[in-house]
Amino acid sequence: MGHLGHRPQFHPLKHGFDEWFGSPNCHFGPYDNKVKPNIPVYRDWEMVGRFYEEFPINLKTGEANLTQIYLQEALEFIRTQHARQSPFFLYWAIDATHAPVYASRPFLGTSHRGRYGDAVREIDDSVGKILSLLQNLGISKNTFVFFTSDNGAALISAPKEGGSNGPFLCGKQTTFEGGMREPAIAWWPGHIAAGQVSRQLGSIMDLFTTSLSLAGLNPPSDRVIDGLNLLPTMLQGHVMDRPIFYYRGNTLMAVTLGQYKAHFWTWTNSWEEFRQGIDFCPGQNVSGVTTHSQEEHTKLPLIFHLGRDPGERFPFSFASDEYQDALSRITPVVQQHQMSLVPGQPQLNVCNQAVMNWAPPGCEKLGKCLTPPESVPEKCSWSH
Amino acid sequence: MGHLGHRPQFHPLKHGFDEWFGSPNCHFGPYDNKVKPNIPVYRDWEMVGRFYEEFPINLKTGEANLTQIYLQEALEFIRTQHARQSPFFLYWAIDATHAPVYASRPFLGTSHRGRYGDAVREIDDSVGKILSLLQNLGISKNTFVFFTSDNGAALISAPKEGGSNGPFLCGKQTTFEGGMREPAIAWWPGHIAAGQVSRQLGSIMDLFTTSLSLAGLNPPSDRVIDGLNLLPTMLQGHVMDRPIFYYRGNTLMAVTLGQYKAHFWTWTNSWEEFRQGIDFCPGQNVSGVTTHSQEEHTKLPLIFHLGRDPGERFPFSFASDEYQDALSRITPVVQQHQMSLVPGQPQLNVCNQAVMNWAPPGCEKLGKCLTPPESVPEKCSWSH
């Protein structure tokens, strides 16, 4: 699971979870435990090991048992909750398809898609085992399952460790459809008919509100909640017309409203990065759209029709009637959004090597506490 | 149906068909019947009208009833054969998705994909009606249905009148996957299980051999037949390892063998065309691959792995072991192909405005015979 935040205040058990197995960051590494420590894996409050140490990942062969470990944790959690007759919420955040991509030995080399395909096959197999357990325990009709991804395929890792965004433009790190648009599957036998397709525009933020609704709760009323309850969509086929706002940092890059998408800023990555071979849009180039400088279009946004042009290749002519019509619909929605926005406290602005997992709770029991460097808080530098 | 050839010797009734309703070319136009005649529609030996005249197409709204007319012809043909208890072969070549794209009024404006999507929906609906008729007549278990396309989406017509090739590179007119790779569906209830997926590499030429096999016949033995019988693939799941050769004119541009594809020549279209806005690869650009000059790579072909890199974005390094291994497998297959090839007579080399549908058979009954210009046979100029 990516970037939960590694500081103590971001610990899942401080955010409503009763149990946790996993890591506060992705499985980057290996590190030397001198300049940087390897990233720890936790059970509840304490670390139980580190990636590349107790939780090995062979970068050369791509072999790692992590998906199998996460699968067993999920199955065990479900069995325990079922035995207790407890309702439960499981957030199963596997990361095998994040570079460095890994799979366990039975899956390595089994796909036509290389290591990335092997990882997808293992995830697919694992999801199947979780669904089978729910059915075997007789609780599938009481269990809502939602499957999706937090971003489009990271094409910087393609072709060996990256997926494909099909017809969509660019990949992860951008606000083009390839970076932001993901498939999602909702499963709830007896409630959601198999094989239905919804065109509802949703966001992962909707899962918060939707989960509350499933639990019979209302979202807190003391703040603006961006997420919508998707149950009317999934159960009754309702489609709600709502905008989705695309940000990079504090910059509103784009908005989607119905089939229209307006870009207020275009940027892939810097010329400097691009010239080093870092490419968020390999093989793709839309003139004036996949720009390597940050181009402002706030006065006259670039507008695409995602139905006819899902690949964002053909911006409307500014002079066309359809452009003027789309803009007249988008403008008030964006104004309303910007007027009602309450800026949050940036969570990723302070970097400090001293707080980076040197001696997480529990390290002393394992004899794995490392000595942190001197504490030097700095403004983080985010290259993208 | 595209480009059957308009000269009398190419008439379908001279090539094994007993009945014909359709046109020897696509529905281009409208023409002025002076410089060029509108393209005729035939029933059997004689024309019954012309596109934009007896068979109207409204270019502004996209409305035309042609798919409905072709559908009624197909349903009537099937009913008649069934009443006669005759076995039958129907080649149903609809062209609504070829620019100028059209749909009938009940379908116009019904998709999120614009006019192209409307046309696809009408074709989908029509295919459903044909399959339903086969089921209602009780002959679905005796009827083999194969659905595919003769080329990838023509991206020169995108976004208003062109489809999408998803993750594949470029479109129709090129030998990249977007131009040559199409989905195919085989339907034969009771023989082919629903939902199966085959990774067999096939070609439309295989339908000739496959159809003969279904009829209990062997292909002629006095010549080399390129098509394979696909029944073992469709009925027993066999996968045959066979190359597919990609030509433009007489030039072998590329070959696919297993997951490997080697390009001996790369070319999209000329700089001259491209600068006029004719683009076979809109939004796509792979350096050294989507070239606008005809680049020769016969000595050291560009090789891609279509499993890991279906979009042909990452050619192998010439120095890699995988390149050398793939090349050593591809080279003898290409040599064998070139040694055994018997060049055919070019069918599209002679152009003559005088033979272009001015006075097709039957025109006199309709009072629609036009006066051809003087006969001036010329070598054809094919810009792509």
Side-chain angles (χ1 to χ4, degrees):
Chain A
M1 51 183 89
H3 312 281
L4 294 176
H6 48 265
R7 287 185 287 170
Q9 63 268 40
F10 301 129
H11 193 290
L13 300 195
K14 291 189 179 165
H15 290 269
F17 287 88
D18 298 310
E19 301 182 21
W20 180 37
F21 181 85
S23 167
N25 208 322
C26 216
H27 54 281
F28 295 112
Y31 299 120
D32 62 1
N33 285 341
K34 287 171 188 153
V35 177
K36 270 191 181 180
N38 275 320
I39 290 163
V41 176
Y42 282 69
R43 179 177 300 285
D44 299 328
W45 290 108
E46 297 189 346
M47 76 175 272
V48 290
R50 295 179 191 271
F51 289 128
Y52 302 94
E53 300 174 25
E54 290 75 13
F55 296 91
I57 302 168
N58 186 324
L59 290 187
K60 191 162 173 183
T61 64
E63 185 179 345
N65 286 327
L66 292 169
T67 301
Q68 293 303 315
I69 292 169
Y70 299 142
L71 172 61
Q72 292 312 318
E73 291 287 332
L75 298 176
E76 186 57 31
F77 173 80
I78 293 167
R79 279 191 209 103
T80 303
Q81 301 309 312
H82 177 251
R84 288 180 190 156
Q85 302 203 319
S86 276
F88 61 87
F89 173 86
L90 167 67
Y91 173 46
W92 194 62
I94 60 283
D95 67 358
T97 51
H98 190 298
V101 168
Y102 60 78
S104 66
R105 191 168 302 179
F107 290 92
L108 274 181
T110 62
S111 85
H112 293 269
R113 277 282 202 153
R115 197 174 289 179
Y116 187 89
D118 302 342
V120 170
R121 292 192 76 240
E122 184 163 17
I123 290 172
D124 180 52
D125 182 82
S126 299
V127 170
K129 290 197 164 83
I130 291 172
L131 299 182
S132 291
L133 176 61
L134 296 173
Q135 286 170 318
N136 292 340
L137 295 176
I139 56 174
S140 63
K141 291 188 180 168
N142 297 322
T143 309
F144 174 79
V145 178
F146 198 87
F147 181 88
T148 190
S149 174
D150 56 347
N151 44 250
L155 301 184
I156 39 167
S157 305
K160 290 201 173 162
E161 307 200 277
S164 161
N165 294 316
F168 300 130
L169 188 61
C170 301
K172 177 179 172 180
Q173 274 108 356
T174 76
T175 47
F176 298 110
E177 292 298 279
M180 305 297 274
R181 187 155 155 183
E182 300 89 36
I185 303 172
W187 184 90
W188 192 8
H191 299 264
I192 301 174
Q196 280 189 84
V197 174
S198 171
R199 296 182 178 278
Q200 174 66 48
L201 196 54
S203 131
I204 290 183
M205 289 186 285
D206 297 338
L207 293 183
F208 174 68
T209 314
T210 304
S211 301
L212 288 179
S213 177
L214 283 163
L217 300 171
N218 288 317
S221 57
D222 62 342
R223 69 205 76 180
V224 173
I225 298 289
D226 294 302
L228 297 179
N229 176 11
L230 292 179
L231 289 184
T233 293
M234 294 186 281
L235 301 180
Q236 286 109 36
H238 292 186
V239 176
M240 297 167 279
D241 196 15
R242 62 92 72 97
I244 294 279
F245 299 98
Y246 299 62
Y247 278 89
R248 276 172 88 158
N250 293 332
T251 305
L252 177 64
M253 302 286 289
V255 61
T256 298
L257 183 68
Q259 294 287 329
Y260 293 110
K261 181 171 177 183
H263 290 271
F264 303 109
W265 288 86
T266 54
W267 192 40
T268 55
N269 61 349
S270 67
W271 278 115
E272 190 187 347
E273 265 195 4
F274 184 65
R275 287 199 193 98
Q276 289 163 21
I278 298 170
D279 191 350
F280 297 162
C281 318
Q284 297 181 317
N285 176 43
V286 182
S287 180
V289 177
T290 53
T291 59
H292 290 284
S293 50
Q294 300 183 39
E295 301 283 341
E296 184 170 0
H297 310 276
T298 51
K299 294 275 191 315
L300 277 178
L302 304 181
I303 302 183
F304 297 89
H305 187 282
L306 295 179
R308 300 196 295 273
D309 178 24
E312 294 166 285
R313 277 146 172 73
F314 306 98
F316 286 131
S317 152
F318 296 136
S320 67
D321 290 345
E322 194 168 5
Y323 180 88
Q324 294 299 333
D325 178 57
L327 185 61
S328 72
R329 290 197 241 171
I330 289 165
T331 302
V333 170
V334 171
Q335 282 173 347
Q336 168 65 23
H337 168 72
Q338 289 176 324
M339 274 165 48
S340 65
L341 188 75
V342 181
Q345 183 69 25
Q347 304 288 311
L348 296 165
N349 271 13
V350 181
C351 283
N352 186 346
Q353 274 302 114
V355 302
M356 290 297 289
N357 301 313
W358 297 94
C363 68
E364 64 290 344
K365 289 186 198 163
L366 301 171
K368 295 191 75 84
C369 301
L370 302 169
T371 307
E374 196 186 348
S375 178
V376 185
E378 293 180 333
K379 188 165 188 323
C380 291
S381 135
W382 296 95
S383 49
H384 315 314
Chain B
M1 50 184 85
H3 310 280
L4 294 175
H6 49 266
R7 286 184 286 169
Q9 62 269 39
F10 301 130
H11 193 291
L13 300 195
K14 291 192 179 165
H15 290 269
F17 287 88
D18 299 308
E19 301 182 20
W20 180 37
F21 180 84
S23 168
N25 208 322
C26 217
H27 54 282
F28 296 113
Y31 299 119
D32 62 1
N33 285 340
K34 286 170 189 155
V35 177
K36 270 190 181 182
N38 276 319
I39 291 163
V41 176
Y42 282 70
R43 178 177 301 284
D44 299 329
W45 291 108
E46 297 188 347
M47 76 176 274
V48 290
R50 296 181 191 270
F51 289 128
Y52 303 93
E53 300 174 26
E54 290 74 15
F55 297 91
I57 303 168
N58 185 323
L59 289 187
K60 192 164 173 178
T61 64
E63 184 179 346
N65 286 327
L66 291 168
T67 300
Q68 293 303 316
I69 292 169
Y70 298 143
L71 171 61
Q72 293 311 319
E73 291 288 332
L75 298 176
E76 187 56 31
F77 173 79
I78 293 168
R79 278 191 210 104
T80 303
Q81 301 309 312
H82 176 252
R84 287 181 190 154
Q85 303 204 318
S86 276
F88 62 87
F89 173 86
L90 167 66
Y91 173 46
W92 194 63
I94 63 281
D95 67 359
T97 52
H98 190 298
V101 168
Y102 61 79
S104 66
R105 192 169 299 178
F107 292 92
L108 274 182
T110 63
S111 86
H112 293 267
R113 277 284 200 149
R115 196 174 291 180
Y116 187 89
D118 301 342
V120 170
R121 292 191 75 240
E122 184 164 17
I123 290 171
D124 179 51
D125 182 80
S126 299
V127 170
K129 289 196 165 84
I130 291 172
L131 299 182
S132 291
L133 176 62
L134 296 173
Q135 286 171 317
N136 293 340
L137 295 176
I139 56 174
S140 62
K141 292 189 178 166
N142 298 323
T143 308
F144 174 79
V145 178
F146 199 87
F147 181 88
T148 190
S149 174
D150 57 346
N151 43 250
L155 301 183
I156 38 168
S157 306
K160 289 201 174 162
E161 307 201 277
S164 161
N165 294 315
F168 300 129
L169 189 61
C170 301
K172 177 179 172 180
Q173 273 107 355
T174 77
T175 47
F176 298 109
E177 292 298 279
M180 305 296 275
R181 188 156 155 181
E182 300 91 35
I185 302 172
W187 185 90
W188 192 9
H191 300 266
I192 301 174
Q196 280 189 85
V197 174
S198 171
R199 296 182 177 279
Q200 174 67 46
L201 196 54
S203 132
I204 290 183
M205 289 186 285
D206 297 339
L207 294 183
F208 174 69
T209 314
T210 303
S211 301
L212 288 179
S213 177
L214 283 164
L217 300 172
N218 288 318
S221 57
D222 62 342
R223 68 203 79 179
V224 173
I225 298 289
D226 294 302
L228 297 179
N229 176 10
L230 292 180
L231 289 184
T233 293
M234 293 187 280
L235 300 180
Q236 287 108 37
H238 292 185
V239 176
M240 298 166 278
D241 197 15
R242 61 93 73 95
I244 294 280
F245 300 97
Y246 300 61
Y247 278 86
R248 276 172 88 158
N250 293 332
T251 305
L252 178 63
M253 301 288 288
V255 61
T256 298
L257 184 67
Q259 293 289 326
Y260 293 110
K261 181 171 177 184
H263 290 271
F264 303 108
W265 288 85
T266 54
W267 192 40
T268 55
N269 61 347
S270 67
W271 279 115
E272 190 186 348
E273 266 196 0
F274 185 64
R275 285 197 194 99
Q276 289 164 20
I278 299 170
D279 191 350
F280 297 162
C281 318
Q284 297 181 317
N285 176 43
V286 182
S287 180
V289 177
T290 52
T291 59
H292 290 285
S293 51
Q294 300 184 38
E295 301 283 341
E296 183 169 1
H297 310 276
T298 51
K299 295 273 189 317
L300 276 177
L302 304 181
I303 301 182
F304 297 89
H305 187 283
L306 295 179
R308 301 197 293 274
D309 177 23
E312 295 167 285
R313 277 146 172 73
F314 306 98
F316 286 132
S317 151
F318 296 135
S320 67
D321 289 347
E322 195 168 6
Y323 180 88
Q324 294 298 334
D325 178 55
L327 185 60
S328 72
R329 290 196 241 173
I330 289 164
T331 302
V333 171
V334 171
Q335 283 173 346
Q336 169 65 26
H337 168 71
Q338 289 176 325
M339 274 165 47
S340 64
L341 188 74
V342 182
Q345 184 68 24
Q347 303 289 312
L348 296 166
N349 271 14
V350 180
C351 282
N352 187 347
Q353 274 302 115
V355 302
M356 289 298 287
N357 302 312
W358 296 95
C363 68
E364 64 289 345
K365 289 185 198 164
L366 301 171
K368 294 192 74 85
C369 302
L370 302 168
T371 308
E374 196 187 348
S375 177
V376 185
E378 295 182 330
K379 188 167 187 321
C380 293
S381 137
W382 297 95
S383 48
H384 316 315

